[in-house]
Amino acid sequence: MQLIIDNLSKTYDNGVKALQNVSLEIPKGMFGLLGPNGAGKSTLMRTIATLQDADQGTIVLDGLNVQSNKYAIRKVLGYLPQQFGVYPKMSAEVLLNHLAVLKGITSKTERHEIVTSLLHKTNLYEVRKQNLGGFSGGMKQRFGIAQALLNNPTLLIVDEPTAGLDPKERNRFYNLLSEIAEDTIVIFSTHIVEDIKELCNNMAIINKGQVVLKGKPLELIDALKGKVYQKNILRTELDYYKSEYKVINDKLFLGKPIIQVYNETPLGDGFVPVEAGLEDVYFSQINEY
């Protein structure tokens, strides 16, 4: 089972090229789609989820063309969008039951079993009678996953699901998605590098509507081995170093600026080699030199 995206492009009416010849092969398991805000991630997710059409290209899920078989795809699709609204005065149990009816689960007995199982799986059973308006951000995200799993999907899309979650809720969400991905294609779209590092065996980086890098996180990190260098500098020197070197990241440590640069050969002048990480892979692709 796999999802094949071939030469997908989308330009909006205002001239923004949201997707440009995007091609990906996504196998079963967790696939990370990493990129800055506005890179085209949400456009790609909505297109896969049959919520909008591409200008060109194809999407095929397990041999089935997504664009020409939208109804069939929706029956096996779970989707948690970036902005997920709930009815604040309804309980988790009541709303999940209502959504199950809308998804075609008409048998009361079957619906009760599915809803109860998902409330347990998402660790919401104990608060099932509580109104959703009183849920924390993490609880709402877990409810979002519960509704996305009502039809036992073969493809699950989650768009920026951990934004705004505290570390405890984020870890709980990681564990839930990892369990789901054992039998499902899960596309995890985010701008948070740590999410991909923790969860995904395969990934792609998208920037300005184009796939700029794809592969396995550990292999991509290994490709940078011996090519990342670090140096403490003065604030006033930052522009100079950015003009002279491929600066992939600049940050503060104890209030003092540190730069990391990419270079194929060893550097002197106070630079020291550092172990590369997925963050370095990401910034080396999205930063313009």
Side-chain angles (χ1 to χ4, degrees):
M1 182 171 62
Q2 65 177 341
L3 180 75
I4 301 175
I5 302 166
D6 184 37
N7 202 36
L8 206 68
S9 293
K10 174 70 175 179
T11 301
Y12 289 115
D13 292 339
N14 61 3
V16 173
K17 295 181 179 180
L19 299 174
Q20 300 182 60
N21 306 112
V22 171
S23 295
L24 292 168
E25 293 187 9
I26 302 176
K28 183 172 69 174
M30 190 79 70
F31 185 92
L33 187 66
L34 188 62
N37 292 327
K41 302 188 304 299
S42 292
T43 296
L44 180 57
M45 298 300 95
R46 289 195 299 268
T47 306
I48 297 171
T50 75
L51 298 178
Q52 65 181 36
D53 293 323
D55 298 329
Q56 71 173 44
T58 58
I59 308 171
V60 177
L61 174 63
D62 204 22
L64 192 65
N65 186 289
V66 170
Q67 294 102 314
S68 57
N69 296 277
K70 292 181 180 179
Y71 181 73
I73 292 298
R74 288 167 185 167
K75 292 174 68 175
V76 297
L77 171 73
Y79 181 45
L80 177 58
Q82 187 172 355
Q83 300 295 330
F84 174 71
V86 296
Y87 293 98
K89 294 185 179 180
M90 293 182 71
S91 72
E93 185 178 47
V94 169
L95 183 53
L96 201 58
N97 189 75
H98 175 66
L99 293 171
V101 173
L102 295 179
K103 289 200 174 186
I105 306 172
T106 55
S107 167
K108 187 175 181 179
T109 300
E110 180 187 6
R111 195 164 62 244
H112 175 74
E113 290 176 355
I114 292 172
V115 168
T116 300
S117 173
L118 287 173
L119 287 169
H120 278 295
K121 177 175 267 189
T122 54
N123 199 28
L124 292 173
Y125 186 77
E126 298 301 322
V127 294
R128 67 192 185 280
K129 304 293 186 183
Q130 182 177 324
N131 285 350
L132 289 159
F135 274 21
S136 68
M139 292 164 70
K140 288 178 181 177
Q141 288 294 73
R142 281 186 275 132
F143 179 84
I145 284 292
Q147 64 81 27
L149 295 176
L150 279 168
N151 58 337
N152 191 28
T154 56
L155 171 61
L156 175 64
I157 298 171
V158 288
D159 193 0
E160 300 283 359
T162 65
L165 300 188
D166 63 42
K168 184 177 180 180
E169 283 287 8
R170 181 173 290 173
N171 286 335
R172 183 176 289 165
F173 206 75
Y174 286 162
N175 292 334
L176 176 59
L177 287 179
S178 295
E179 180 183 343
I180 295 167
E182 292 179 3
D183 302 304
T184 308
I185 297 173
V186 179
I187 303 177
F188 187 103
S189 172
T190 184
H191 68 279
I192 302 173
V193 177
E194 183 183 350
D195 288 345
I196 303 299
K197 179 182 176 182
E198 295 290 337
L199 289 172
C200 302
N201 291 324
N202 293 279
M203 65 171 285
I205 298 174
I206 186 171
N207 192 31
K208 297 182 179 179
Q210 296 178 302
V211 174
V212 295
L213 190 69
K214 53 189 174 183
K216 297 182 180 297
L218 292 180
E219 292 177 359
L220 297 177
I221 292 171
D222 192 57
L224 282 187
K225 188 175 181 180
K227 299 176 182 177
V228 179
Y229 297 84
Q230 182 172 290
K231 183 179 181 179
N232 291 51
I233 65 169
L234 300 174
R235 294 178 190 272
T236 55
E237 296 176 319
L238 183 57
D239 288 342
Y240 164 76
Y241 279 99
K242 283 187 173 181
S243 67
E244 295 294 320
Y245 297 93
K246 293 181 178 180
V247 177
I248 59 177
N249 198 10
D250 62 274
K251 54 189 175 181
L252 294 177
F253 180 70
L254 299 177
K256 297 181 179 180
I258 294 176
I259 58 170
Q260 287 182 307
V261 306
Y262 172 87
N263 207 67
E264 292 282 348
T265 57
L267 284 175
D269 192 29
F271 283 99
V272 295
V274 293
E275 185 175 346
L278 192 58
E279 191 173 80
D280 299 306
V281 173
Y282 174 61
F283 284 122
S284 71
Q285 295 299 315
I286 67 167
N287 285 341
E288 298 179 354
Y289 306 123

